[in-house]
Amino acid sequence: MMDCFCCILDKLCNCFLFNGIWWKDYGIPLLGTVAIPLVVWRLTRYYGADEAEKRKERRKLRDNLNFLKSMAFGTISSLIGLRERVIYLLNAQKKAYEDTSADEKSKFFTLLYIKHIFNYVDIDQYKNCTEYEHNFPLILGAIKSYVTMIGARIEDRNNIIRNLCATKDFHPDCIVPKIAKAHFLGDLHLTEHFLVEIDATIDMLADLMKMIDKIGNVKKFKLVQLELSPAQKSILNSIDKNVILKFI
């Protein structure tokens, strides 16, 4: 009985709304005066100047974060390679020069290198990130300063090595041991300090990538996925922050 009543009610409603005089006289005009303006209003809001500007800013932030994440990842990889090289030379420095093989001696005079891609990062492009991470520009500025400082130290050291190797009768065995050691980066303490500066920069870059992912999650951005290798992650986990705080 109830099903029959519902069926009759449904037919009456359809007849009244769509087949009857009411729809012709009132329904269609009402649709034109209410529904269509609502659609127009909604589309105007979505495609209006204010909303278009917001979407533009959102795309710009997403693209900037993707760019920064790529720069951070590439710089971490480059610094990890530099770190391994400096550790090798640091260990060689600690050995007696006379006990070092000729092959190891020659490696004292190889040039060091890092990619300077982080120099392309413009801090001004990330000022609005303070809304999500209040010290974001500060960390970004510190990283740029450290990367620049590391690059300058490497260039100074490489210039010394170039000049040393340019001498007429250059050979590692012909160089006075103390001079050979001094022409790496200075004394042993300075070399150790340089290694800590590299570790501090790697650590800050890793924190920066976490911040970028956090902002991406808040904004629901689809950010580029970048993963360090297991060996690189192991090196990153081996960095002692207490040592960094002691030196820096």
Side-chain angles (χ1 to χ4, degrees):
M1 185 69 179
M2 181 60 69
D3 292 341
C4 181
F5 175 77
C6 291
C7 182
I8 294 171
L9 183 62
D10 182 60
K11 288 182 178 180
L12 286 173
C13 289
N14 286 335
C15 180
F16 178 72
L17 291 175
F18 300 106
N19 299 325
I21 297 174
W22 182 91
W23 177 251
K24 180 179 179 182
D25 292 343
Y26 301 103
I28 295 176
L30 184 64
L31 181 66
T33 57
V34 178
I36 293 176
L38 282 173
V39 172
V40 173
W41 173 79
R42 179 59 182 169
L43 291 174
T44 301
R45 275 184 56 85
Y46 185 78
Y47 291 103
D50 290 344
E51 291 299 319
E53 186 63 27
K54 289 180 181 178
R55 290 195 301 278
K56 181 180 178 181
E57 290 177 358
R58 179 179 170 85
R59 287 194 299 269
K60 183 178 180 181
L61 177 59
R62 181 201 62 200
D63 293 344
N64 284 342
L65 289 176
N66 272 325
F67 171 78
L68 182 59
K69 189 174 181 179
S70 297
M71 295 298 101
F73 180 83
T75 304
I76 285 177
S77 299
S78 183
L79 287 174
I80 285 177
L82 174 65
R83 181 182 190 271
E84 293 303 285
R85 184 66 185 156
V86 172
I87 287 175
Y88 172 83
L89 293 172
L90 181 61
N91 290 334
Q93 264 187 292
K94 292 177 180 179
K95 293 173 63 176
Y97 192 77
E98 295 77 8
D99 296 336
T100 304
S101 68
D103 182 58
E104 287 180 324
K105 288 177 182 177
S106 66
K107 291 178 181 178
F108 270 101
F109 305 96
T110 57
L111 302 182
L112 299 178
Y113 173 77
I114 61 166
K115 296 178 181 178
H116 294 283
I117 54 176
F118 212 81
N119 291 339
Y120 295 105
V121 174
D122 183 1
I123 298 177
D124 287 341
Q125 297 295 323
Y126 301 94
K127 287 181 177 178
N128 54 350
C129 290
T130 54
E131 180 181 348
Y132 314 99
E133 291 286 348
H134 69 278
N135 59 346
F136 195 93
L138 180 65
I139 291 178
L140 200 53
I143 292 171
K144 287 203 72 171
S145 296
Y146 268 80
V147 171
T148 301
M149 178 176 60
I150 290 170
R153 291 193 193 283
I154 288 174
E155 191 58 29
D156 288 344
R157 182 261 182 190
N158 287 347
N159 286 334
I160 292 172
I161 296 299
R162 290 188 188 101
N163 293 333
L164 190 63
C165 295
T167 57
K168 183 178 179 180
D169 299 319
F170 170 77
H171 189 277
D173 286 330
C174 299
I175 304 298
V176 178
K178 290 184 178 180
I179 296 178
K181 290 183 179 182
H183 278 85
F184 168 46
L185 284 166
D187 62 30
L188 194 62
H189 177 73
L190 291 179
T191 307
E192 290 174 340
H193 197 174
F194 180 58
L195 179 61
V196 175
E197 289 172 349
I198 294 172
D199 283 352
T201 309
I202 292 173
D203 188 61
M204 286 189 290
L205 284 163
D207 287 342
L208 179 68
M209 290 186 68
K210 292 177 183 177
M211 288 183 181
I212 292 170
D213 286 337
K214 180 180 177 181
I215 295 174
N217 290 333
V218 172
K219 299 293 290 183
K220 294 181 170 57
F221 288 150
K222 187 176 181 180
L223 297 179
V224 60
Q225 297 298 310
L226 299 169
E227 286 287 338
L228 294 171
S229 69
Q232 290 174 324
K233 288 180 180 179
S234 177
I235 291 171
L236 183 61
N237 292 332
S238 71
I239 292 175
D240 191 341
K241 292 191 177 185
N242 291 324
V243 175
I244 292 174
L245 294 174
K246 176 182 177 182
F247 274 80
I248 303 303

